[in-house]
Amino acid sequence: MRINICGVKIDKYSFDEVIQLIVKHALSQSKPEYVVTPNAMHVLTLQKDANFQEIYRKAFLVVPDGVSLLWAAKFLQTPLKGRVNGTDLFEKLCAIAAEKGLKVFLLGGRPGSAEKAKETLVARHPALQIVGTYCPPYGFESMPTELNSINSTITAAAPHILFVGLGAPKQEKWIAANYLYLGVPISVGIGVSFELVSNMVTRSPVLMQKAGLEWLFRLLVEPGRLWKRYVLGNPAFILLVLKQRLGLFNSLSQNLDCANSNESAHKVK
């Protein structure tokens, strides 16, 4: 079952249920699928990006990473079962992968973060098979030779789960463009999780996580990079949710048409 938050359909599964579904699919090694982990920023981006919308429609699972989505769902009287935080998902899946003999590949992150995350996770779970890590150069998505090299490296490693930390929507767009060719059972976009697991970026205290204030901690730690997302993005998201509650929300396609019209008008000026 999926609920609707500002036109985005989100799966109503608990964290444990999501883990079970992903592990089951990875073990079955059936057709490749991918998982997206939306937060408020994703919802805002989806209002004006048709390609991103299509990627979401085809996802195996759409799970609520941002606590703002839990608040919105409750306010809209369609509560979710809980948060499925991308970093927690990454760590738990790696723990189970060690138990089940599933192979894992880490793609993306800041230089050195995937390798440091590997070291941290293998220290915790010695049986964990991380069969590759790679940090592509900036702008790699427009470099055919680099793209071919990445695909060849991943297919040769043959992981069961591919974790991609390129930031949204880049990571989702790369996954959607490549997952069928790669043949990896499950691909998951996880943002800055490599940095958090490796302690290259400090994660908020557990009490702040439980209180839904992890976003505030991240803003304080990296204000230059994140101020637009939270200071401008959060009010815009709240406005969208209010419109939905009042029955004033346009469909994603209508919002996209509006965004394109505004862009065209701006270009004419």
Side-chain angles (χ1 to χ4, degrees), residues 90 94 103-118 121 129-141 143 145-155 157 159-179 181-182 184 186-195:
F90 172 46
C94 283
K103 295 183 292 183
V104 171
F105 195 104
L106 313 183
L107 175 69
R110 302 176 193 183
S113 65
E115 191 61 33
K116 286 187 177 180
K118 174 183 176 179
L121 290 166
Q129 300 178 67
I130 297 183
V131 293
T133 69
Y134 186 65
C135 174
Y138 181 78
F140 79 96
E141 63 273 17
M143 304 175 186
T145 301
E146 181 68 20
L147 289 169
N148 290 336
S149 176
I150 291 169
N151 284 353
S152 297
T153 300
I154 295 172
T155 53
H160 297 91
I161 306 175
L162 170 63
F163 293 104
V164 184
L166 298 173
K170 182 186 290 188
Q171 62 193 15
E172 289 79 15
K173 291 185 176 182
W174 183 87
I175 290 170
N178 294 278
Y179 79 107
Y181 170 80
L182 294 172
V184 179
I186 287 286
S187 298
V188 191
I190 56 169
V192 297
S193 293
F194 300 157
E195 289 87 340

Side-chain angles (χ1 to χ4, degrees), residues 35-264:
V35 177
V36 292
T37 56
N39 54 29
M41 184 195 71
H42 285 222
V43 172
L44 293 174
T45 304
L46 282 157
Q47 306 304 312
K48 54 188 178 182
D49 190 329
N51 183 24
F52 204 23
Q53 291 174 21
E54 184 64 17
I55 289 167
Y56 258 67
R57 278 192 287 269
K58 292 180 178 179
F60 176 61
L61 291 170
V62 181
V63 299
D65 179 34
V67 71
S68 54
L69 299 188
L70 302 187
W71 294 341
K74 188 173 182 179
F75 179 69
L76 295 169
Q77 300 179 324
T78 55
L80 290 160
K81 289 187 176 182
R83 186 183 182 194
V84 185
N85 174 265
T87 304
D88 294 338
L89 187 66
F90 172 46
E91 293 186 284
K92 184 64 175 180
L93 285 172
C94 283
I96 295 178
E99 297 173 5
K100 303 287 187 182
L102 294 171
K103 295 183 292 183
V104 171
F105 195 104
L106 313 183
L107 175 69
R110 302 176 193 183
S113 65
E115 191 61 33
K116 286 187 177 180
K118 174 183 176 179
E119 293 172 5
T120 300
L121 290 166
V122 171
R124 290 182 196 167
H125 314 289
L128 178 60
Q129 300 178 67
I130 297 183
V131 293
T133 69
Y134 186 65
C135 174
Y138 181 78
F140 79 96
E141 63 273 17
S142 59
M143 304 175 186
T145 301
E146 181 68 20
L147 289 169
N148 290 336
S149 176
I150 291 169
N151 284 353
S152 297
T153 300
I154 295 172
T155 53
H160 297 91
I161 306 175
L162 170 63
F163 293 104
V164 184
L166 298 173
K170 182 186 290 188
Q171 62 193 15
E172 289 79 15
K173 291 185 176 182
W174 183 87
I175 290 170
N178 294 278
Y179 79 107
L180 290 174
Y181 170 80
L182 294 172
V184 179
I186 287 286
S187 298
V188 191
I190 56 169
V192 297
S193 293
F194 300 157
E195 289 87 340
L196 292 170
V197 169
S198 63
N199 289 321
M200 289 180 71
V201 172
T202 304
R203 192 171 184 186
S204 67
V206 174
L207 287 177
M208 291 189 78
Q209 293 176 39
K210 290 182 177 179
L213 295 174
E214 191 166 11
W215 66 272
L216 178 59
F217 183 85
R218 290 192 61 199
L219 177 60
L220 294 173
V221 171
E222 298 185 276
R225 190 174 73 86
L226 297 174
W227 75 270
K228 285 186 178 180
R229 177 191 299 188
Y230 295 123
V231 176
L232 301 180
N234 284 357
F237 174 73
I238 290 168
L239 180 59
L240 278 180
V241 174
L242 283 171
K243 285 183 176 180
Q244 183 176 347
R245 178 67 184 268
L246 296 172
L248 303 174
F249 177 77
N250 293 325
S251 68
L252 283 179
S253 60
Q254 287 176 307
N255 287 337
L256 181 61
D257 290 341
C258 181
N260 290 338
S261 297
N262 289 340
E263 183 178 351
S264 298

